[in-house]
């Protein structure tokens, strides 16, 4: 896209996004408001309840109001984006109404307005019911001279440029709304902030504190470290910077791949934004203006991964009802009035559900209430369970959107550095490089200073010592031998976090980069697609120590075969399939052991938190630690490995790893025509981090949501790809046209020559 001003460009970005991603935008708007159950049904109710109780939409409104006060230029730019979204959605809504595809019943503001009592006790609370959003498992519009400003274009070959949808795209988008019986609704100026917050509210993994409490209660404090696996196994983003001293051009290269839940439509949008002030290519988040995470301005480029910082706290509250509402006991020993109101959540096919929203001085209550859990009884002598969530944007009124325009205007690393000083959440590790040879490796985001106990567990709100005491200064780091690697491991962010990803991906990328003196942008896909599984070592070590004469013939043959295996999780590998089957059998045996029986039943917390509390996935992701610990609650691990080996040898997998390790993308609605999703290489500790859940499923719901290579020597030599295509409209020629490239590890060129683009649709 190109336009005559930054605001006009933002409006055009909004229009283009709504043209290509109208259905996705509507889903995200409802998730951000806690109204998705109104058309997705009961399975979305748990998220809607959480989103409303956490006051996500109200927080977004507050943050936008603060943005208007502190940074009116950025606020006007966000408004321009929203105006563009609404222009296109209004056109789609009108066309659908004329065709009789829907009524306008769902087009208004569905946020529930509170009908209960509201008090002044909460931080800034006004008692109005605000609705917020769900989580996944628990997201070139460039006209050449012929097209004129605002025309969307495609590069030669179809997959090269990010434009999509094509003629008739709007009509195809309307079919998704018709299937859901839903009309496109109106975006508010704060909606992009709500979408951002809803997308990232669980990124810091605060429900892990519930798991630590649970496992400590049943297995003791030592179990926390055993099950950490040095971090949730679901994290997998990679990024690396190779300075000019290590490249064939003498200019830096930045490459990587954000690993998130794979969604259809995709969570990243390939885009080019050009106006007299700036010209940026990058990966945008649909529903949010600008290019936040991955961008290249021609003279400077940047990329991020999740820093794995801990910046959200859970407080156990003591609540009581009074004639005036609800009160909470504070650390000074006094009871203070809490904000309280009720909201109604509409549920497709079922009766509406009433949700009580309570906010104390710590934050919104997201678990339980004055009477505790709906289906739980507190232990004798314990108060009813109520847990409040404290998260930075709710406290500060700042979601970090002040970063976005300065990033687009950046020309050097120093500009990126100043821009990300304004970043709020999620907390990221940032890499950047410019054409002057400057580099940047730092953490960006807001992490509170507070008691160590806050970082690891639920803390009592009525005890002193758990208040926030300011903010950490984001750490910085440099390069080593001209290289910086970020893969969610313990690195510069170590002082800010509790659990991090295992070091395998970071170590593997570092080792691969050390294997060559000079690198080019064209060399980077080989790193993206590396499938070596270092975390296989502990299980294979156990196999090596088994007494071979004590095994049956098939088990001994399988053992010897796996010990010869190259430890690469390739889709066409039968050995990788056999290893995965053995791992699954062992995980299930360990999880079923009587030593873990007390921890096998999760506490009756809301369903949205259950993925953090399930024992089998926890055993699967912590298998390395469980196999190497000095003692494991008396469990005979060699016997368990032997039994698992015999089990798999008796019923070996018939095919290859890719036969069961298949892509399983999240969709709000099942596709009208089911797709035969492909088999994948990789595993959760490979650089190619396509994550199964060992012991539960080989399917991969997470993986590279995009791949990118930013070349600072020539931006036009940069490359990128997404798992499906640039368009979110089923049936569009560009809905899934990049998948062959993505599967093969190939990348599409980033076109910067307007003359090479072909007009498809005017916007």
């Amino acid at each position: 896209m190109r336009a005559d001003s930054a605001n006009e460009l933002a409006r055009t970005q909004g229009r283009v996004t709504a043209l290509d991603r109208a259905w996705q935008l509507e889903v995200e708007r409802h998730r951000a408001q806690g109204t998705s159950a109104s058309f997705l049904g009961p399975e979305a109710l748990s998220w809607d309840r959480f989103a409303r109780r956490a006051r996500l939409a109200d927080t977004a409104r507050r943050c936008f109001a603060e943005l208007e006060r502190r940074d009116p230029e950025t606020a006007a730019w966000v408004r321009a984006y929203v105006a563009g979204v609404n222009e296109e959605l209004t056109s789609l809504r009108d066309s659908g109404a004329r065709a009789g595809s829907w009524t306008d019943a769902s087009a208004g503001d569905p946020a529930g307005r509170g009908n209960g009592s509201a008090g002044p006790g909460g931080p800034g609370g006004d008692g109005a019911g605000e609705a917020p959003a769900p989580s996944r498992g628990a997201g070139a519009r460039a006209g050449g001279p012929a097209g004129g400003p605002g025309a969307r274009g495609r590069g030669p070959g179809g997959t090269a440029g990010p434009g999509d949808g094509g003629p008739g795209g709007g009509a195809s988008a309307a079919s998704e709304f018709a299937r859901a019986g839903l009309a496109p609704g109106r975006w508010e100026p704060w909606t992009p902030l709500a979408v951002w917050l809803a997308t990232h509210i669980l990124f810091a993994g605060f429900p892990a504190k519930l798991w630590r409490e649970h496992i400590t209660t049943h297995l003791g404090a030592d179990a926390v470290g055993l099950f950490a696996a040095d971090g949730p196994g679901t994290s997998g983003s990679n990024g690396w910077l190779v300075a000019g001293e290590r490249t064939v051009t003498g200019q830096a290269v930045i490459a990587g791949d954000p690993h998130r839940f794979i969604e259809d439509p995709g969570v990243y949008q390939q885009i080019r934004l050009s106006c007299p002030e700036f010209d940026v290519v990058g990966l945008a988040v649909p529903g949010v203006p600008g290019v936040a995470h991955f961008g290249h301005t021609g003279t400077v480029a940047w990329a991020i991964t999740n820093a794995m910082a801990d910046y959200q706290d859970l407080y156990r509250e003591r609540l009581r009802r009074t004639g005036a509402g609800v009160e909470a006991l504070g650390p000074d020993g006094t009871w203070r009035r809490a904000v309280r109101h009720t909201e109604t959540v509409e549920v497709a096919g079922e009766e509406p559900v009433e949700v009580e929203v309570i906010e104390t001085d710590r934050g919104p209550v997201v678990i339980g209430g004055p009477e505790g859990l709906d289906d739980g009884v507190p232990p004798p002598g314990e108060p009813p369970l109520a847990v409040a969530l404290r998260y930075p944007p709710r406290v500060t009124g700042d979601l970090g959107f002040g970063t976005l325009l300065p990033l687009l205007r950046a020309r050097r690393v120093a500009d990126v550095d100043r821009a990300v000083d304004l970043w709020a959440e999620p907390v990221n590790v940032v890499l950047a490089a410019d054409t002057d040879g400057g580099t940047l490796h730092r953490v960006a985001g807001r992490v509170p200073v507070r008691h160590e106990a806050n970082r690891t567990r639920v803390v009592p709100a009525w005890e002193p010592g758990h208040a926030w005491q300011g903010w950490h200064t984001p750490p910085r780091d440099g390069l080593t031998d001209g290289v910086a690697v970020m893969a969610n491991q313990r690195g510069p962010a170590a002082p800010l976090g509790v659990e991090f990803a295992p070091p395998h991906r970071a170590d593997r990328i570092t080792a691969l980069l050390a294997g060559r003196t000079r690198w080019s942008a064209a060399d980077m896909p080989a790193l993206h697609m590396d499938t070596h599984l270092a975390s296989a070592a502990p299980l294979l070590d156990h196999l090596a120590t088994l007494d071979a004469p004590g095994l049956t013939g098939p088990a001994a043959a399988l053992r010897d075969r796996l010990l010869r295996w190259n430890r690469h999780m390739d889709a066409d590998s039968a050995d990788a399939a056999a290893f995965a089957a053995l791992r699954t059998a062992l995980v299930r045996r360990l999880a079923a052991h009587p030593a873990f029986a007390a921890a096998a039943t999760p506490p009756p917390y809301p369903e949205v938190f259950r993925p953090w509390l399930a024992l089998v996935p926890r055993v699967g992701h912590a298998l390395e630690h469980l196999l190497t610990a000095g003692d494991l609650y008396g469990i005979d691990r060699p016997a368990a490995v032997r039994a698992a080996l015999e089990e798999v040898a008796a019923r070996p997998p018939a095919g290859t790893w890719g036969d069961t390790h298949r892509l399983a993308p999240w969709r709000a609605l099942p596709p009208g025509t089911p797709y035969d999703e492909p088999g994948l290489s990789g595993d959760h500790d490979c650089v190619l981090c396509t994550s199964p859940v060992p012991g539960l499923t080989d399917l991969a719901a997470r993986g590279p949501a995009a791949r990118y290579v930013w070349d600072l020597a020539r931006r036009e030599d940069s490359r990128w790809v997404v798992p499906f295509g640039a368009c979110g409209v089923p049936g569009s020629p560009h809905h899934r046209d990049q998948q062959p490239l993505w599967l093969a590890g190939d990348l599409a060129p980033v076109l910067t020559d307007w003359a090479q683009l072909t007009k498809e649709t005017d916007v």
Side-chain angles (χ1 to χ4, degrees):
M1 291 176 293
R2 59 183 177 183
D4 294 332
S5 69
N7 281 6
E8 181 59 24
L9 187 59
R11 186 189 69 84
T12 305
Q13 184 183 2
R15 289 195 64 193
V16 166
T17 303
L19 185 65
D20 284 346
R21 308 290 187 100
W23 170 247
Q24 181 181 23
L25 291 183
E26 186 67 4
V27 170
E28 295 304 322
R29 183 179 72 87
H30 278 279
R31 285 172 49 81
Q33 294 179 162
T35 56
S36 54
S38 65
F39 64 99
L40 296 180
E43 69 176 25
L45 178 59
S46 180
W47 170 263
D48 282 358
R49 289 173 63 97
F50 166 71
R52 290 176 182 252
R53 298 188 76 182
R55 310 203 73 185
L56 300 187
D58 180 62
T59 302
R61 293 180 197 220
R62 291 185 185 186
C63 290
F64 186 78
E66 279 297 294
L67 189 67
E68 285 196 300
R69 186 179 68 83
R70 299 177 185 174
D71 187 355
E73 182 190 25
T74 298
W77 177 72
V78 174
R79 283 184 179 274
Y81 179 88
V82 169
V85 170
N86 282 329
E87 285 179 43
E88 199 59 44
L89 293 184
T90 297
S91 176
L92 179 61
R93 184 166 60 243
D94 291 346
S95 66
R98 287 193 299 271
S101 299
W102 53 61
T103 65
D104 235 5
S106 63
D109 179 6
R113 299 293 172 181
N115 57 16
S117 63
D126 58 11
E130 314 295 357
S135 165
R136 286 65 161 158
R141 329 328 198 168
R152 300 189 311 150
R154 296 294 304 174
T159 59
D164 46 50
S172 298
S175 66
E176 301 295 298
F177 289 93
R179 289 174 61 206
L182 191 69
R186 179 173 179 79
W187 279 47
E188 300 297 333
W190 50 266
T191 304
L193 285 75
V195 168
W196 184 267
L197 183 58
T199 300
H200 296 106
I201 187 67
L202 296 177
F203 254 50
F206 70 81
K209 296 176 183 180
L210 302 174
W211 163 257
R212 294 185 199 116
E213 292 254 320
H214 173 63
I215 200 70
T216 298
T217 298
H218 295 290
L219 293 176
D222 290 345
V224 172
L226 278 176
F227 280 92
D230 206 23
T234 54
S235 295
S237 295
N238 303 311
W240 57 94
L241 186 161
V242 182
E245 65 196 71
R246 296 285 305 277
T247 69
V248 297
T249 65
Q251 292 283 1
V253 173
I254 299 176
D257 45 6
H259 291 211
R260 302 172 66 132
F261 281 101
I262 301 294
E263 301 182 22
D264 183 9
V267 298
Y268 283 114
Q269 176 188 21
Q270 296 153 304
I271 207 160
R272 183 181 182 186
L273 302 173
S274 181
C275 68
E277 286 188 74
F278 49 79
D279 185 337
V280 182
V281 295
L283 298 169
V285 174
V288 178
V291 175
H293 285 159
F294 310 94
H296 194 329
T297 72
T299 59
V300 66
W302 66 89
I304 61 95
T305 61
N306 186 353
M308 307 296 286
D310 178 79
Y311 52 88
Q312 302 161 326
D313 284 349
L314 293 175
Y315 291 82
R316 180 156 186 167
E317 298 279 359
R318 285 186 173 173
L319 304 178
R320 69 182 184 188
R321 294 196 186 276
T322 69
V326 173
E327 292 181 340
L329 182 61
D332 60 355
T334 63
W335 292 86
R336 295 191 60 187
R337 180 100 170 269
V339 173
R340 184 259 176 205
H341 68 273
T342 60
E343 298 179 12
T344 300
V345 180
E346 301 293 333
V347 183
E350 295 190 358
E351 292 297 312
V353 174
E354 189 174 88
V355 176
E356 183 176 36
V357 178
I358 298 172
E359 184 167 10
T360 73
D361 288 349
R362 272 65 58 192
V365 174
V366 295
I367 298 174
E371 289 75 40
L373 296 166
D374 293 339
D375 53 355
V377 177
E382 291 284 337
L385 184 66
V387 178
L389 170 65
R390 189 170 182 82
Y391 57 101
R394 188 71 187 163
V395 175
T396 65
D398 180 15
L399 200 50
F401 267 47
T403 297
L404 299 180
L405 265 176
L407 271 181
L408 297 178
R409 293 168 173 155
R411 294 294 178 267
R412 295 290 180 263
V413 157
D415 301 326
V416 173
D417 197 11
R418 283 190 296 270
V420 299
D421 278 340
L422 303 174
W423 194 258
E425 76 166 86
V427 179
N428 293 323
V429 177
V430 181
L431 295 178
D434 63 32
T435 53
D436 285 345
T439 60
L440 180 68
H441 183 197
R442 62 163 290 182
V443 177
R446 189 168 282 145
V447 179
V449 176
R450 73 277 207 214
H451 193 281
E452 186 66 23
N454 291 44
R455 290 155 40 94
T456 57
R457 60 182 176 84
V458 184
V459 294
W462 57 87
E463 291 184 1
H466 298 295
W468 289 6
Q469 305 292 333
W471 306 98
H472 283 281
T473 299
R476 296 172 177 270
D477 205 350
L479 277 61
T480 302
D481 296 327
V483 167
V485 176
M486 52 182 186
N488 315 117
Q489 82 280 19
R490 292 182 185 271
L496 307 181
V498 177
E499 296 181 10
F500 294 80
H504 306 303
R505 289 181 288 108
D507 290 348
R508 179 67 173 173
I509 294 168
T510 301
L512 290 172
L513 289 173
R516 186 181 301 182
T517 304
R518 294 286 185 269
W519 289 86
S520 71
D523 298 327
M524 295 304 162
L527 276 70
H528 285 137
M529 298 300 289
D530 187 80
T531 61
H532 183 262
L533 185 67
S535 62
L539 178 50
L540 295 177
D541 289 346
H542 270 275
L543 285 186
T545 62
L546 289 181
D547 180 17
L551 298 172
T552 63
L558 178 58
R559 168 187 175 273
D560 293 343
R561 174 184 158 198
L562 288 176
L563 292 177
R564 294 191 301 269
W565 170 49
N566 65 6
R567 305 189 186 191
H568 282 265
M569 299 297 286
D570 296 325
D572 60 358
S573 170
D575 291 344
F579 172 79
L582 174 63
R583 180 176 63 184
T584 288
L586 178 59
V587 167
R588 290 175 177 173
R589 285 181 177 274
L590 291 178
H593 194 279
F596 294 141
T601 301
Y605 295 140
E607 184 181 347
V608 72
F609 303 126
R610 297 291 173 84
W612 281 266
L613 299 165
L615 180 63
V616 170
R618 284 286 180 177
V619 171
H621 289 310
L623 188 60
E624 278 189 280
H625 283 189
L626 300 179
L627 289 177
T628 57
D631 177 68
L632 190 65
Y633 306 102
I635 298 174
D636 187 341
R637 284 165 290 184
V641 172
R642 180 186 298 272
L645 182 67
E646 293 284 1
E647 176 187 333
V648 174
R651 292 179 297 279
T656 65
W657 177 225
D659 290 334
T660 57
H661 186 53
R662 306 184 74 84
L663 187 63
W666 183 88
R667 298 182 181 90
L669 290 177
T673 302
Y675 299 107
D676 183 17
E677 299 295 358
L680 303 175
S681 295
D683 198 77
H684 65 277
D685 283 330
C686 299
V687 178
L688 179 53
C689 185
T690 52
S691 299
V693 183
L696 190 64
T697 179
D698 288 344
L699 295 175
R702 294 182 62 104
R707 297 191 187 101
Y708 60 90
V709 178
W710 298 146
D711 192 340
L712 271 298
R714 280 170 37 95
R715 187 170 69 169
E716 53 267 42
D717 289 338
S718 297
R719 298 289 188 269
W720 56 11
V721 75
V722 292
F724 299 113
C727 185
V729 180
S732 158
H734 308 303
H735 181 214
R736 296 172 71 88
D737 60 341
Q738 294 186 48
Q739 188 171 86
L741 294 176
W742 183 79
L743 289 171
D746 295 329
L747 303 173
V750 174
L751 292 184
T752 56
D753 184 349
W754 300 98
Q756 294 187 53
L757 298 170
T758 303
K759 185 177 103 170
E760 286 191 353
T761 305
D762 288 321
V763 291

